[in-house]
Structures are given as C-alpha cells and as structure tokens.
Amino acid sequence: MKAINKNLLSFLTLILLFGCSEDSITPTQEPQSIDPNKVYKWNMVTTWPKNYPGLGRAAENLSKYVDEMSNGRMKIKVYGAGELVPAMGVFDAVSQGSVQLGHGASYYWIGKVKSSQFFTAVPFGLTAQEMNAWIHWGGGQELWEEAYAPFNLMPMAGGNTGVQMAGWFNKEINSIGDLKGLKMRIPGLAGEVFSRAGVETVVLPGSDIFLALQQGVIDAAEWVGPYNDLTFGFHQVAKYYYYPGWHEGGSTLEIIINKDAYMSLPDDLKAIVKYASRAVNQEMLDEYTANNNRALTELVEKHGVELRKLPDDVLIELRRLSKEVMEEFIADDEMAKKIYDSYLVFKEDVIQYHSISEKAFIEIRDLEQ
Ligand code: CA
C-alpha cells in the first residue's frame, strides 16, 4: 500500500514539475505585464435615455463596478441614446470602433444579424432564470459570440427585465380579430407574429413611444413592464394595460464590446469587464423584481389604468402563429437554425424539471385558501 502511494506521489510530482517547467519556458505564456499607472478610458453608448430605471442604470452600474474593481484603472463614460449616436446606431458605432462599448437589446439588430433575436426573447420562450442558464451553461454564450464575430463584437448578457407586459391599447382585445388594423410598436419576432394577426408593426426606441401614441401615429405599444412604463407616462395616452408578456418572458439585454478594444485590455481588466457584466445582468433583474408591483399598484390605483388579461384563445392563437413564424424564420438562415436548435433543446430540457419545481411550487404557494 505504502509503495503504491509513494509511486503515485512521485508520478504526481513529475506532472507538477513538468507542468511548471512548460509554463516557465514558453514565452507566449508569460503573464501579461500590467502597468498600474495606465488608465483605460472607454466610451459606452446606449439605446436608453441616460440613467433610465433598470435599462439605463445597468450601463451606469457597469461603469461603476468596473471603476471600483479596477481601482480606477478603467473608466467608462456612459452616453444616453442620442448623445453620441442615435439609439438605433449603437450596434454600428461599437462594431466600427468609434466607441468601445454599447448597451441595448440584441433584437433591435434584426436587419444586421438575423439570429440576434434569440438573445433577447423568443415568443413563448425562456424565462429570465432559464435564459441566464442557457446563455451561461447551455451553450448560448458561444453561439452569441459566433453570431457577432463577423461584426468584430464581443456580446455579453447585460440585464434581464423578467416577464414583460403584453402592452398598452386604447381598445379592448376580446378576440384575435380585435388586433386587426392596429398600428403597434412591437419589435423582434413578436412583431412578425402580430403582423400575421393583421397588426401594422413598427420599431421605435422607448423615448419615442409616448409621442407616437399621443399623436395617433400608433394605437398600441409594448415597452417593458410597470416599473418602466410608469416613468414614460403611457397611462396618460392609453387606457388598457394587458398581460402577460407572451412575447418577452425574460428579455435579456446586451453589452457589446468592440473586439479589438477588448483584446487590447490586460487580462485582469478583461476579467473585470466580464464579471462586472455578470453582476449587472443579475442586478437589473433584482431591480425590476423589487419595483414592478409598486409601480403597477400606482398605475391602477392612482392613475385608473384598466388592467386586463389577454383572453386564453387570443394567447393560444398567438402561440400558433409564433410557431409558424419561428419555422419560417430559421428556414433560410443557417446560423438562426443552429441557434434555435440549441435554444429548443435547452427549453425542452429545462421545462421538464421546472414543471415540477418552479411552476408546481408557485401554483401551490399562490393557491387561494
Ligand atoms: Ca418589450
């Protein structure tokens, strides 16, 4: 027994020594030298108004966390939508390297990267908890990087809103036919689903929605949920507030980094940016979770908003249309198909356990006594 242990020990010692000598003689593996006096100054453009609750705060938090974790060696200046570039110009600005960082939502870039849709939300898709698991444990991150590589961009999850609201309407939706003829602000795959239900859909940045509703350019709009919708004052220009957000069950926001800029960082700052993004990602979900119901109560009790649930048959028809849209969406795009395959395999796996855990638990916890 003793002899075996001794041999094993010698063997392990050899591996250790061999490993160490390999590291020390390979010049490419020399640890990168860090200049403690060099300060990296980056700019970050966003698709949100500056300091906007949740979405805009995430960008400010990233700047703050990176500053704190790097002991001031990395400074990120945050610009709201329209300050340096328009909201919808964020992707190009970061891709081209005129700024190093961006914060927005990947589904705004459908005209540039079709497969970007999967990294924000899929109708009747994953929840926040499930999205985080797919991205960080289920292969989503690697696919996202592959999809953005041709644009010289490194993507990271940069927040999650949780389940959103279906949106604001000025007429009641009692059947799928009531959607026909509406003009609605709704981005992403859900926009395509609504188009098939006869809705004329448009994509507008959040800050343009109020005026468009007020001036009658659109009749309906979805944005996020009570916490954000209250701050934009949509209750002043729309009467009915519908749930659930069938189209955005856990929307992920994104941080995009110019790849050349990212690669120029010393390793410790690369890690700081990565882990600060992880912190921001969770922080945003916590902020929405903590504030949504207070805002909803204010909308209903103070502002007289009519809260309504979309009828089940409307939701079932939207689910049927969503399936149709998804099948066509991936048919002519290899990358979209590859990502959706991964997404679906993960979804089917995760909902099996969630049906007997999260879902079963919440159902019984909230059952009226
Ligand atoms: Ca939304």
Side-chain angles (χ1 to χ4, degrees), residues 32 34 64 77 87 89 98 120-121 123 156-157 166 169 172 196-197 222 237 256 264 269 341-342 350:
Q32 204 173 343
I34 292 167
K64 180 172 177 272
K77 188 165 166 48
S98 57
T120 308
M156 291 177 192
F169 296 80
E172 282 191 84
R196 289 182 192 214
E222 77 78 52
V237 285
I256 44 176
S264 75
L269 291 183
D341 284 348
S342 160
V350 83

Side-chain angles (χ1 to χ4, degrees), residues 6 16 18 61 64 119 191 216 248 266 312 329 336 358:
K6 202 176 166 191
L16 201 62
F18 185 75
N61 281 342
K64 180 172 177 272
F119 304 104
E248 299 199 46
D312 284 352
F329 185 77
E358 311 295 311

Side-chain angles (χ1 to χ4, degrees), residues 245-257:
W246 57 275
H247 61 308
E248 299 199 46
S251 299
T252 296
L253 288 310
E254 70 172 7
I255 290 162
I256 44 176
I257 311 170

